């Protein structure tokens, strides 16, 4: 039988379509040859690292040069176990789904250990037409925003019978999970990071249609006065209503010279931002070039506020100083190497940032090659933190559609970050003493989270980011960076060890979402 290039038709398989085509081209390596030829120095660096035995370093250099994608090697399917009636627990298991050996014992233990647990879901292994392993589904923790966009949770879910009026239909499961979450609070619906089920989408007729329509009706009900956009593969984007009139947004841009970057950034912000109620504050850290100084004087005459920030470069302190003077209800921190090219970027971020329970909101950022530069920040990978889906194609849907669906993340980059001014000030802003240059955004997001404000990625907001184009590494800068690494580990060590929004089954030494963990599977994943 020919290996399939796509899943069967039907909206029930929308959540799987991020992985299509299901087989990578055997000629894909030939496509890398022109890039290697155009960048011989980078190609030689990859070869030298590989020959020196620095395989992780070599892979990372190759990914930065050639780009990245999902290289997920699924595990061998474990044995199945027959479904049995469980006291007090109902396991939804539609046709085409089977529980793996030990799944029911794990589920029973989880419900017994937590009386407040109302619903539990785990991970799945998708099987191909010949029953071979095809795709691992490693799900993150429960996130209502994510579920409204795409059903990344179901359909195999265990439910506490006492919380049910009747057995729900598959299409009604997202609505039920949201109701249980609202009724039981944080932790009422939980993810168990373990393989619980096998999914055979090719073995049974496609389920009856209606899941996409039910999700859309649920999303529309969640945004009274707003609208719902349907994107590729049925991913929904909730466009939330904004105050009328729009509140003032303060766009804060730190800089030191680099007029080539600053001019491009400010021109784009002024021309490609569909938000008339805005002010721009440029934090100038001792620019000296005559052309830059003349430009700063010119934009001041045009209404841009220029705030002198003398002294050693301190990204956090500069932003704090501008935030203290900002008049806007919404603070939008933008690096001077960021360029807007879609008019609605700020509107999409503001729709989320102005919600009461939301703290920082980040955008999807593309690098100079049009690849993903930022899709949220993942904790613990690469030994510390990394940007999700970095170097993936710019139009990639992302694992479980994470580059298309608004969802919760541990942190977002301050290269383009929106947050309400009152929330920012309530947690003390950026920590300019501990994190002058690096990790101040991660630290801010984690402190906002601790204060009860969720961090979201709004991938509908897309901008270009020429990361670190204005940074120059010196011995002093490297020493400062290492000190900030140590402070981040000291302050947030427990959070760095377990990001609830990123599955531990992914390889921590590879790019986020790129590869499964190698070697023995940790106990939590068995």
């Amino acid at each position: 039988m020919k290996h399939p290039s796509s899943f069967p038709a039907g909206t029930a398989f929308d959540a799987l379509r991020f992985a299509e085509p299901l087989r990578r081209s055997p000629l894909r390596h030939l496509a890398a040859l022109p890039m290697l030829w155009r960048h011989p120095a980078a190609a030689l660096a990859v070869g030298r690292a590989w020959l020196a035995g620095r395989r992780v370093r070599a892979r990372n250099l190759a990914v930065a040069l050639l780009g990245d994608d999902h290289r997920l090697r699924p595990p061998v399917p474990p044995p199945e176990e027959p479904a049995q009636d469980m006291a007090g627990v109902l396991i939804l298991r539609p046709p085409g789904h089977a529980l793996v050996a030990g799944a029911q014992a794990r589920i029973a233990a989880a419900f017994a250990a937590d009386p407040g647990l109302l619903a539990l879901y785990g991970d799945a292994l998708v099987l191909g037409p010949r029953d071979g392993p095809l795709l691992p589904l490693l799900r993150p923790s429960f996130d209502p925003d994510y579920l409204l966009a795409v059903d990344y949770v179901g359909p195999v879910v265990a439910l506490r019978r006492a919380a049910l009026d009747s057995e729900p239909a598959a299409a009604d499961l997202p609505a039920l999970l949201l109701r249980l979450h609202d009724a039981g609070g944080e932790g009422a619906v939980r993810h168990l990071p373990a393989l619980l089920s096998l999914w055979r989408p090719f073995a049974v007729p496609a389920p009856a249609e209606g899941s996409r329509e039910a999700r859309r009706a649920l999303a529309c009900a969640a945004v009274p006065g707003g609208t719902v956009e349907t994107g590729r593969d049925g991913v929904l984007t909730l466009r939330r209503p904004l105050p009328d009139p729009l509140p003032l947004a303060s766009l804060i841009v730190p800089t030191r010279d680099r007029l080539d970057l600053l001019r491009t950034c400010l021109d784009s912000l002024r021309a490609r931002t569909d938000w008339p109620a805005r002010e721009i504050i440029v934090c100038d850290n001792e620019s000296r070039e005559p052309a830059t100084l003349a430009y700063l004087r010119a934009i001041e005459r045009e209404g841009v506020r220029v705030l002198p920030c003398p002294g050693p470069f301190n990204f956090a302190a500069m932003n704090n100083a501008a935030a203290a003077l900002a008049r806007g209800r919404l603070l939008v921190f933008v690096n001077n190497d960021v360029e807007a090219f879609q008019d609605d970027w700020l509107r999409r971020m503001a729709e989320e940032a102005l919600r009461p329970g939301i703290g920082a909101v980040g955008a999807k950022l593309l690098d100079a090659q049009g690849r993903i530069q930022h899709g949220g920040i993942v904790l613990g990978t690469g030994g510390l933190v990394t940007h999700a889906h970095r170097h993936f194609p710019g139009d990639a849907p992302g694992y479980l559609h994470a580059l298309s669906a608004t969802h919760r993340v541990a942190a977002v980059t301050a290269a383009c970050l929106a947050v309400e001014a009152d929330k920012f000030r309530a947690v003390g802003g950026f920590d300019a003493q501990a994190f002058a240059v690096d990790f101040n955004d991660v630290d801010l997001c984690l402190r906002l989270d601790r204060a009860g404000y969720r961090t979201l990625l709004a991938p509908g907001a897309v901008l270009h980011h020429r990361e670190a184009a204005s940074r120059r590494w010196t011995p002093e800068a490297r020493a400062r960076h290492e000190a900030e690494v140590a402070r981040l580990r000291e302050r947030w060590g427990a959070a760095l060890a377990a990001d609830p929004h990123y599955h531990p089954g992914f390889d921590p030494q590879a790019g986020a979402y790129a590869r499964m963990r190698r070697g023995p599977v940790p106990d939590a994943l068995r």
Side-chain angles (χ1 to χ4, degrees):
M1 177 182 287
K2 182 181 178 182
H3 194 97
S5 61
S6 63
F7 290 104
T11 60
F13 306 119
D14 281 349
L16 303 179
R17 301 196 189 283
F18 74 92
E20 294 175 337
L22 300 179
R23 172 183 261 175
R24 301 168 71 206
S25 168
L27 302 177
R28 65 188 183 276
H29 297 298
L30 297 179
L33 295 178
M35 183 66 73
L36 296 173
W37 180 261
R38 290 196 299 269
H39 300 277
L44 286 173
V46 174
R48 283 195 298 267
W50 186 266
L51 292 174
R54 303 172 64 192
R55 301 300 170 86
V56 173
R57 171 68 173 167
R59 282 195 297 266
N60 290 340
L61 289 172
V63 164
L65 176 62
L66 303 174
D68 209 352
D69 63 4
H70 302 301
R71 293 166 280 131
L72 305 174
R73 186 177 301 170
V76 175
E80 301 176 26
E81 67 179 10
Q84 300 175 352
D85 287 338
M86 297 177 61
V89 176
L90 170 67
I91 300 179
L92 299 181
R93 188 180 57 85
H97 298 266
L99 299 177
V100 304
Q104 291 170 106
R106 283 178 173 269
I107 292 170
F111 278 95
D114 184 0
L117 179 62
L118 303 180
L120 184 72
Y121 64 97
D123 305 319
L125 179 60
V126 180
L127 304 183
R130 295 179 176 176
D131 241 21
L134 190 61
L135 173 68
L137 296 180
L138 307 182
R139 297 174 169 113
S141 59
F142 186 70
D143 175 5
D145 289 291
Y146 204 170
L147 184 59
L148 284 169
V150 59
D151 183 6
Y152 72 97
V153 171
V156 176
V157 176
L159 303 164
R160 191 178 293 278
R161 290 184 184 273
L164 304 176
D165 296 325
S166 60
E167 182 171 338
D172 299 328
L173 182 58
L176 172 62
L177 294 176
L178 291 174
R179 287 198 300 272
L180 294 178
H181 175 268
D182 291 342
E186 202 76 24
V189 181
R190 208 173 75 218
H191 170 242
L192 181 65
L195 179 59
L196 298 184
S197 65
L198 304 177
W199 190 346
R200 293 181 171 89
F202 301 93
V204 296
E209 296 297 296
S211 59
R212 187 182 292 184
E213 291 75 12
R215 285 197 305 107
R216 183 174 179 84
L218 181 63
C220 289
V223 283
T227 60
V228 176
E229 299 173 347
T230 302
R232 182 172 63 176
D233 300 328
V235 176
L236 303 180
T237 299
L238 282 63
R239 302 303 309 272
R240 301 177 184 277
L242 289 164
D244 185 16
L246 294 175
L248 181 68
S250 298
L251 281 59
I252 297 172
V253 184
T255 194
R256 176 193 285 173
D257 288 314
R258 290 307 304 265
L259 178 57
D260 55 329
L261 298 176
L262 181 62
R263 188 196 302 273
T264 300
C265 173
L266 295 188
D267 285 352
S268 74
L269 294 183
R270 292 193 283 185
R272 302 306 302 267
T273 303
D274 180 19
W275 194 277
R278 67 177 187 263
E279 64 173 354
I280 298 177
I281 304 175
V282 174
C283 314
D284 177 37
N285 181 222
E286 298 184 342
S287 293
R288 299 176 181 179
E289 296 174 0
T292 304
L293 297 176
Y295 177 74
L296 293 175
R297 290 192 294 269
I299 61 175
E300 275 194 298
R301 292 193 292 270
E302 296 168 359
V304 175
R305 302 172 70 186
V306 177
L307 175 65
C309 297
F313 181 77
N314 187 316
F315 178 88
M318 294 164 66
N319 279 309
N320 284 345
L325 295 179
R327 299 187 293 261
R329 172 181 169 185
L330 187 67
L331 303 178
V332 187
F333 300 99
V334 183
N335 276 17
N336 68 345
D337 51 4
V338 165
E339 179 181 356
F341 66 95
Q342 294 182 351
D343 293 354
D344 64 350
W345 69 274
L346 180 52
R347 187 174 291 267
R348 289 180 178 271
M349 296 179 75
E351 288 173 9
E352 307 299 340
L354 295 175
R355 294 166 57 190
I358 303 302
V361 175
K364 179 165 67 178
L365 302 179
L366 307 179
D367 65 17
Q369 287 76 45
R371 306 174 305 186
I372 299 297
Q373 188 274 328
H374 171 263
I377 291 178
V378 172
L379 307 182
T381 53
L384 199 64
V385 301
T386 193
H387 287 189
H389 293 100
R390 188 171 185 183
H391 303 308
F392 275 61
D395 61 352
Y399 189 80
L400 290 174
H401 299 281
L403 291 174
S404 306
T406 297
H407 66 286
R408 188 174 182 179
V409 292
V412 293
T413 178
C416 186
L417 183 155
V419 60
E420 278 196 281
D422 288 348
K423 300 168 186 172
F424 180 80
R425 291 165 184 149
V427 299
F430 293 110
D431 188 336
Q433 296 299 316
F435 305 107
V437 178
D438 292 317
F439 312 119
N440 39 64
D441 43 15
V442 176
D443 175 71
L444 172 69
C445 292
L446 293 177
R447 284 186 287 114
L448 284 166
D449 183 79
R450 190 169 59 188
Y453 300 113
R454 306 192 303 278
T455 298
L456 294 183
L457 175 75
V462 189
L463 301 93
H464 287 298
H465 182 209
R466 298 166 180 81
E467 182 186 22
S470 56
R471 175 179 291 196
R472 297 291 180 267
W473 284 102
T474 63
E476 294 79 10
R478 293 191 182 279
R480 186 262 317 143
H481 173 77
E482 291 303 319
E484 291 177 350
V485 167
R487 293 186 196 108
L488 187 71
R489 286 184 170 139
E490 179 181 4
R491 179 176 295 182
W492 298 108
L496 296 176
D499 185 337
H501 315 294
Y502 186 71
H503 200 288
F506 291 109
D507 187 345
Q509 298 303 317
Y513 300 106
R515 194 172 64 207
M516 296 278 289
R517 183 186 290 267
R518 293 185 176 182
V521 179
D523 289 341
L525 306 180
R526 293 185 186 277

